[in-house]
Amino acid sequence: MQENVQLFKSLLLPQKFIANLGFTYLEKEESYWDNELLGRIYHFKFIKNDRTIEFHFNETHNKITVNIDNEGPVDEDEDQAVEYSFSLEQWLDRKGISPIKYPFRLNSYEGTLQAQMQQFFAFLDQALQDDTLQKILRGETWDYVSFDWGDMK
């Protein structure tokens, strides 16, 4: 693993908001993939009951993506669980919770890469205090957020 990815992981794993919500890190699910356009993206997954939080760190562009997943009830026609997911960045943007324009891009923050990551996690810790989001992460409710494809439509 690259040095920047090790730094990201070392700052991610001890975050209190993950433990406080009761999520467990799935080290066996840790992976990466290479994308011709985006570069190498590392994947870190946390789970609690039917909810997951997935962090994707793009070391090429120093961008972080956070997805919240809900494995819903079994679809009797398909005989498998129905899965719902949304981008935390888009959810926060729609709720007007983002204090800066691009909070998931590390270059939106000042300082060294480590300082930028620390500022991102401070932002994320604050954002996760939202009551509705807390209920979603505790499995008490769900919010359907359609993916914004932007100019890719």
Side-chain angles (χ1 to χ4, degrees):
M1 227 185 258
Q2 301 287 339
E3 184 177 324
N4 293 345
V5 178
Q6 288 288 20
L7 175 61
F8 178 78
K9 182 179 175 182
S10 73
L11 294 172
L12 170 64
L13 294 183
Q15 291 299 312
K16 288 186 173 97
F17 63 79
I18 293 170
N20 290 346
L21 290 166
F23 281 82
T24 303
Y25 177 58
L26 297 178
E27 188 167 4
K28 66 180 181 188
E29 301 258 344
E30 188 176 301
S31 62
Y32 71 88
W33 65 90
D34 291 307
N35 179 294
E36 197 171 303
L37 294 173
L38 301 175
R40 183 165 282 182
I41 300 170
Y42 289 85
H43 176 249
F44 304 92
K45 187 174 185 176
F46 299 82
I47 190 164
K48 176 186 173 189
N49 302 327
D50 61 354
R51 298 290 195 262
T52 60
I53 303 175
E54 296 185 22
F55 289 82
H56 301 109
F57 174 59
N58 181 320
E59 70 172 336
T60 305
H61 300 286
N62 285 336
K63 180 166 179 6
I64 301 164
T65 305
V66 180
N67 292 327
I68 309 295
D69 298 326
N70 171 22
E71 189 173 302
V74 173
D75 182 338
E76 293 176 13
D77 295 333
E78 299 292 328
D79 196 30
Q80 63 186 21
V82 177
E83 190 174 309
Y84 303 100
S85 179
F86 64 80
S87 158
L88 183 59
E89 181 175 15
Q90 289 182 2
W91 189 90
L92 293 171
D93 188 51
R94 289 193 180 136
K95 302 292 182 184
I97 297 174
S98 299
I100 61 174
K101 188 164 178 136
Y102 301 110
F104 289 78
R105 294 182 188 167
L106 294 176
N107 65 2
S108 295
Y109 303 98
E110 299 290 326
T112 64
L113 182 61
Q114 180 172 351
Q116 291 171 333
M117 288 180 183
Q118 289 169 328
Q119 291 171 71
F120 167 77
F121 286 122
F123 151 75
L124 192 59
D125 183 51
Q126 184 64 36
L128 290 174
Q129 301 306 313
D130 178 81
D131 288 337
T132 303
L133 192 52
Q134 286 278 316
K135 289 177 183 175
I136 289 169
L137 293 171
R138 286 193 306 259
E140 297 170 8
T141 189
W142 186 250
D143 196 359
Y144 296 92
V145 180
S146 59
F147 185 78
D148 181 2
W149 291 97
D151 295 336
M152 295 186 289
K153 287 185 178 179

